[in-house]
Amino acid sequence: MKKILQWLSLVILLFIVGIIIIVFFNPGGYRDKLVSRAINIYLTKNIDGYQAIPKDEMVPYEDVEYNHPLIPDTQEKAIYEMGVNVASLPTEITPEMTNCFIVTLGKDRATEIANGATPSLSDFLNAKNCL
């Protein structure tokens, strides 16, 4: 029984160390792949008609012809490079969504994002229910 607990502890420790390495050092782009997958799964579940861009159809951002009316170019480029299909995102923000962002992120951070600051992963996770 003691050996099983030792092996289990070792496996859990190695798993935690692996997660820390992926989060901080991004070897092989695994962090980006995990974040991209999580965001696309969430958007697929919560936005009617949303479809992620297939990997074989991804082109450099500079070659994309669509320009989202609500998203500044720097933000659009960042989320496109995460694999988000920008053309499938909503093109209007309701007053309820605006209030939710302000309550969730705080007025200062919501204003920064509205003025073009790139939202962080924590901003997205905190405000995901506002979409």
Side-chain angles (χ1 to χ4, degrees):
M1 183 69 171
K2 187 176 178 181
K3 289 279 188 187
I4 293 173
L5 290 176
Q6 288 176 337
W7 279 103
L8 186 60
S9 298
L10 179 64
V11 168
I12 291 171
L13 179 64
L14 289 174
F15 179 76
I16 292 171
V17 169
I19 294 295
I20 290 171
I21 289 171
I22 288 172
V23 168
F24 288 108
F25 301 108
N26 196 21
Y30 287 118
R31 178 187 62 211
D32 298 338
K33 292 174 186 174
L34 289 172
V35 169
S36 171
R37 183 164 168 81
I39 289 172
N40 278 311
I41 288 171
Y42 178 80
L43 292 174
T44 301
K45 287 181 181 179
N46 292 293
I47 297 177
D48 293 333
Y50 177 83
Q51 291 183 347
I53 302 170
K55 293 290 180 194
D56 58 341
E57 293 180 19
M58 287 285 290
V59 296
Y61 176 74
E62 291 75 24
D63 296 339
V64 176
E65 295 178 13
Y66 181 77
N67 188 10
H68 197 280
L70 297 177
I71 305 174
D73 289 340
T74 55
Q75 291 177 358
E76 188 174 327
K77 180 179 180 183
I79 61 175
Y80 176 81
E81 289 175 350
M82 282 192 250
V84 174
N85 186 352
V86 181
S88 294
L89 297 177
T91 56
E92 62 181 36
I93 297 176
T94 64
E96 293 83 18
M97 291 168 80
T98 302
N99 290 334
C100 181
F101 280 113
I102 291 171
V103 168
T104 305
L105 299 176
K107 186 174 182 177
D108 293 337
R109 184 62 182 151
T111 303
E112 288 175 6
I113 292 171
N115 290 333
T118 302
S120 66
L121 178 59
S122 64
D123 291 333
F124 179 80
L125 293 175
N126 290 334
K128 67 183 180 183
N129 294 328
C130 298
L131 296 175

